[in-house]
Amino acid sequence: MSVAFYCFCVIFAKNSAVLFNSLEFLFFLPIVFALYWLCAGRANLRNLVIVIASYAFYGWWDYRFLALLALSTASSYASGIAIERCKERKIGKWICAANVVFNLSILAFFKYFNFFGENFARMMDMLGWHTDWVMLDILLPVGISFYTFQAIGY
């Protein structure tokens, strides 16, 4: 067990992304697969294994975005529970709409903040108003569109 753990730590200590065609993924997938099947008959535990493995896989690329992922996950999960417990259909629709708006706001911020800011500054310049628009040097999280729409679909 300790030799396997040591090999696992050495392989994953490189601080690089875990790509599907990498040596890291060659070790990552069987471990997750085995853990998943060890939880046979316990759906909640299986789901937890998948969530933790997904976070580990994504966090290997850049751990700073895990908080963003957790926020989106928690929002969608909490709204799903709130909708299920809701007795009035109209309130459930409002909860769902709020979750959609929240998740799309995250997506819009990361994808379009600089685009709209730059164009707004240009438009103001054309009107004769010189603005000093703040540009954020934001790294776009990998797969944010996919993850956002998956969270909304939950």
Side-chain angles (χ1 to χ4, degrees):
M1 177 74 172
S2 62
V3 173
F5 182 72
Y6 175 75
C7 291
F8 180 80
C9 291
V10 168
I11 289 169
F12 285 104
K14 287 190 335 187
N15 195 16
S16 63
V18 178
L19 303 175
F20 291 111
N21 61 350
S22 67
L23 185 60
E24 290 90 353
F25 190 74
L26 182 66
F27 286 93
F28 182 79
L29 181 63
I31 291 168
V32 172
F33 190 76
L35 286 172
Y36 180 81
W37 285 106
L38 284 174
C39 301
R42 294 174 279 185
N44 287 341
L45 194 54
R46 275 186 164 182
N47 290 341
L48 184 62
V49 166
I50 293 296
V51 168
I52 290 170
S54 298
Y55 275 65
F57 185 78
Y58 194 87
W60 223 270
W61 171 69
D62 194 340
Y63 66 90
R64 296 173 299 174
F65 292 116
L66 286 178
L68 181 69
L69 213 58
L71 184 65
S72 181
T73 302
S75 166
S76 296
Y77 185 72
S79 67
I81 290 173
I83 291 168
E84 182 183 14
R85 292 181 181 169
C86 189
K87 293 184 180 16
E88 290 186 43
R89 188 170 172 89
K90 188 175 182 179
I91 294 173
K93 286 182 180 182
W94 279 104
I95 294 169
C96 181
N99 183 51
V100 169
V101 167
F102 176 74
N103 278 297
L104 288 178
S105 297
I106 293 172
L107 178 65
F109 175 77
F110 278 93
K111 285 192 100 165
Y112 302 113
F113 181 82
N114 285 342
F115 171 75
F116 285 117
E118 220 174 88
N119 286 305
F120 179 75
R122 283 190 190 152
M123 185 178 73
M124 291 294 122
D125 282 343
M126 288 185 341
L127 295 173
W129 298 327
H130 300 288
T131 58
D132 225 1
W133 186 259
V134 174
M135 298 299 293
L136 299 177
D137 193 19
I138 300 173
L139 179 65
L140 185 65
V142 172
I144 190 169
S145 297
F146 173 78
Y147 189 80
T148 298
F149 290 114
Q150 288 295 317
I152 289 171
Y154 173 77

